[in-house]
Amino acid sequence: MESKDYLSPDVELQELLVKSGVHLGAKVKVAHMERFIYRLRPDGVYIFEARRILERLNIAASFMALFEPKKILVVSTHVYGIRAVQRFCEVTGCIPVAGKIPAGILTNRTLKYYVEPEVVIVSDPRYDLQAVIEASIARKPVIAMCSTDNVCKDVDLVIPMNNRGRTSLPFAFWYLARRYLIERGEATPELLSSLTIEQFTAQPAVGEEYQQIV
């Protein structure tokens, strides 16, 4: 007989997701994000369903696995997403744009930093709007992490989640890195066990405290 305290890996993962605040939306919702909303908390914060978030992350990883790492551009200009993107690309070999997005990176072939990926991933279509616009012009599919208040114009695959949290973005990129490596057949038990969420998390400067964004 199984112990009543036993938790399946899926349940443990969902609990870690919730602990990281990935399920927290904003206090505002837009029409095209309504289908992803699970409930409304008494304090006015919209909530996503943990299982649904993992499903969308898995779909994103499966799609990304169709492409070589150097054909995937991963973007975040958000303070909590910069380190997460850098670590994600270190692990997977994808192309990072962490911080400022160079103008014309996807549209101006004369620039030395021009790239021609097959898919673009952004941590927030509002913060990373330039990348979304340029990907649309270049006719490249966009995967976007979106909160309840994000407009999803020119986004091909939505990952509903808290995309502005100190711990939520590291969780998402940690999980996505693992799933991408698994889907590509490049994951080993040793590699997967060596990856921790802390490696994807930005460290505050001395005397600085991060404020969780929900």
Side-chain angles (χ1 to χ4, degrees), residues 66-120:
L66 299 175
F67 305 98
E68 294 295 326
K70 291 303 181 185
K71 288 297 183 178
I72 302 174
L73 186 71
V74 189
V75 181
S76 183
T77 58
H78 196 283
V79 63
Y80 298 145
I82 291 174
R83 176 56 191 155
V85 164
Q86 290 171 337
R87 183 57 181 154
F88 176 89
C89 292
E90 288 171 2
V91 171
T92 62
C94 297
I95 306 169
V97 175
K100 184 178 179 181
I101 302 171
I105 187 172
L106 299 175
T107 55
N108 189 341
R109 293 176 178 270
T110 66
L111 299 175
K112 63 180 180 180
Y113 50 76
Y114 170 80
V115 294
E116 195 170 4
E118 293 298 328
V119 60
V120 177

Side-chain angles (χ1 to χ4, degrees), residues 27-213:
K27 291 187 176 182
V28 176
K29 68 175 179 178
V30 294
H32 35 281
M33 288 300 295
E34 191 166 5
R35 63 193 174 110
F36 297 111
I37 295 172
Y38 177 57
R39 65 182 179 90
L40 177 65
R41 273 194 338 199
D43 62 356
V45 173
Y46 290 100
I47 301 296
F48 295 117
E49 186 178 4
R51 179 182 58 81
R52 190 91 183 271
I53 297 171
L54 292 174
E55 285 177 356
R56 301 294 283 197
L57 284 167
N58 289 340
I59 292 171
S62 296
F63 178 69
M64 291 164 57
L66 299 175
F67 305 98
E68 294 295 326
K70 291 303 181 185
K71 288 297 183 178
I72 302 174
L73 186 71
V74 189
V75 181
S76 183
T77 58
H78 196 283
V79 63
Y80 298 145
I82 291 174
R83 176 56 191 155
V85 164
Q86 290 171 337
R87 183 57 181 154
F88 176 89
C89 292
E90 288 171 2
V91 171
T92 62
C94 297
I95 306 169
V97 175
K100 184 178 179 181
I101 302 171
I105 187 172
L106 299 175
T107 55
N108 189 341
R109 293 176 178 270
T110 66
L111 299 175
K112 63 180 180 180
Y113 50 76
Y114 170 80
V115 294
E116 195 170 4
E118 293 298 328
V119 60
V120 177
I121 304 163
V122 299
S123 71
D124 188 322
R126 179 165 58 205
Y127 281 85
D128 310 326
L129 179 60
Q130 183 181 331
V132 175
I133 292 173
E134 291 198 19
S136 177
I137 294 171
R139 297 188 177 183
K140 304 300 181 183
V142 174
I143 299 171
M145 299 173 181
C146 299
S147 188
T148 58
D149 60 349
N150 275 123
V151 176
C152 301
K153 185 177 184 296
D154 296 324
V155 172
D156 298 280
L157 176 62
V158 170
I159 301 174
M161 57 168 281
N162 174 6
N163 57 3
R164 291 156 219 161
R166 181 179 64 85
T167 54
S168 60
L169 283 172
F171 174 93
F173 280 107
W174 166 79
Y175 182 82
L176 198 57
R178 290 167 54 89
R179 290 302 310 177
Y180 177 72
L181 293 171
I182 291 170
E183 293 285 348
R184 295 278 297 174
E186 299 172 3
T188 64
E190 294 76 20
L191 175 59
L192 295 180
S193 64
S194 72
L195 297 178
T196 66
I197 297 176
E198 289 72 24
Q199 296 169 1
F200 292 73
T201 304
Q203 299 300 317
V206 176
E208 178 185 5
E209 293 185 358
Y210 284 146
Q211 180 180 2
Q212 179 79 13
I213 298 177

Side-chain angles (χ1 to χ4, degrees), residues 6-22:
Y6 170 78
L7 293 177
S8 71
D10 285 345
V11 172
E12 289 182 346
L13 191 59
Q14 289 182 36
E15 289 188 351
L16 181 57
L17 182 152
V18 170
K19 182 180 178 181
S20 299
V22 188

